[in-house]
C-alpha cells in the first residue's frame, strides 16, 4: 500500500514487488516504519523521512494561520529550523524508531 507515499517511490501508486528507494543518496544504516510513513538513518547520521506529513508533524506552509500538510512520496533530509539550528540535535542520529503516528530519534 502506498496511498500516502510511504514507500518513498515518488508516487502514490501501490507497489507489489520490491523496488529501490532512490531519494536517499547515501547508504542507509537503519530504517523504521510508522503506519503511513517511514524514517531512515544514513551511515553518516542524517535523518530522512517520507510519507504522511501530518503524522510526521511537518507542515509545508502556513496559510491564513492554518498549517497545510502535504504527503511526501520521496525521502527528504530532516533539518532543524529556527534561531538555534546551529546547535541542532539532528546532526548525528544513531537510531530512529517509528510508532503508529510518532517518531523518536536518538
Amino acid at each position: 500500500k502506498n496511498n500516502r507515499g510511504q514507500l518513498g517511490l515518488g508516487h502514490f501508486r501501490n507497489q507489489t514487488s520490491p523496488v529501490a528507494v532512490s531519494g536517499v543518496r547515501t547508504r542507509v544504516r537503519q530504517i523504521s516504519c510508522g503506519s503511513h510513513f517511514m524514517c531512515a538513518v544514513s551511515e553518516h547520521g542524517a535523518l530522512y523521512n517520507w510519507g504522511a506529513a501530518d503524522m510526521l508533524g511537518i507542515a509545508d506552509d502556513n496559510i491564513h494561520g492554518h498549517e497545510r500538510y502535504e504527503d511526501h512520496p520521496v525521502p527528504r533530509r530532516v533539518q532543524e529550523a529556527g534561531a538555534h539550528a546551529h546547535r541542532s540535535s539532528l546532526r548525528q542520529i544513531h537510531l530512529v524508531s517509528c510508532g503508529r503516528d510518532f517518531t523518536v530519534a536518538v
Side-chain angles (χ1 to χ4, degrees), residues 9-90:
L9 303 175
H11 56 74
F12 298 97
R13 296 181 309 273
N14 291 339
Q15 182 70 36
T16 58
S17 58
V19 203
V21 174
S22 61
V24 180
R25 305 249 184 253
T26 183
R27 290 177 163 251
V28 171
R29 174 173 51 200
Q30 193 237 337
I31 193 164
S32 185
C33 305
S35 62
H36 291 91
F37 65 97
M38 298 178 93
C39 294
V41 178
S42 77
E43 66 181 343
H44 303 292
L47 180 63
Y48 292 83
N49 64 22
W50 59 94
D54 58 332
M55 293 185 183
L56 293 168
I58 299 170
D60 289 320
D61 213 337
N62 191 314
I63 300 173
H64 306 295
H66 300 285
E67 293 176 332
R68 182 183 72 180
Y69 294 95
E70 287 189 17
D71 295 342
H72 292 275
V74 293
R76 63 182 181 174
R77 187 170 179 182
V78 178
Q79 298 185 19
E80 188 171 331
H84 302 290
H86 65 281
R87 296 186 295 184
S88 172
S89 59
L90 294 175

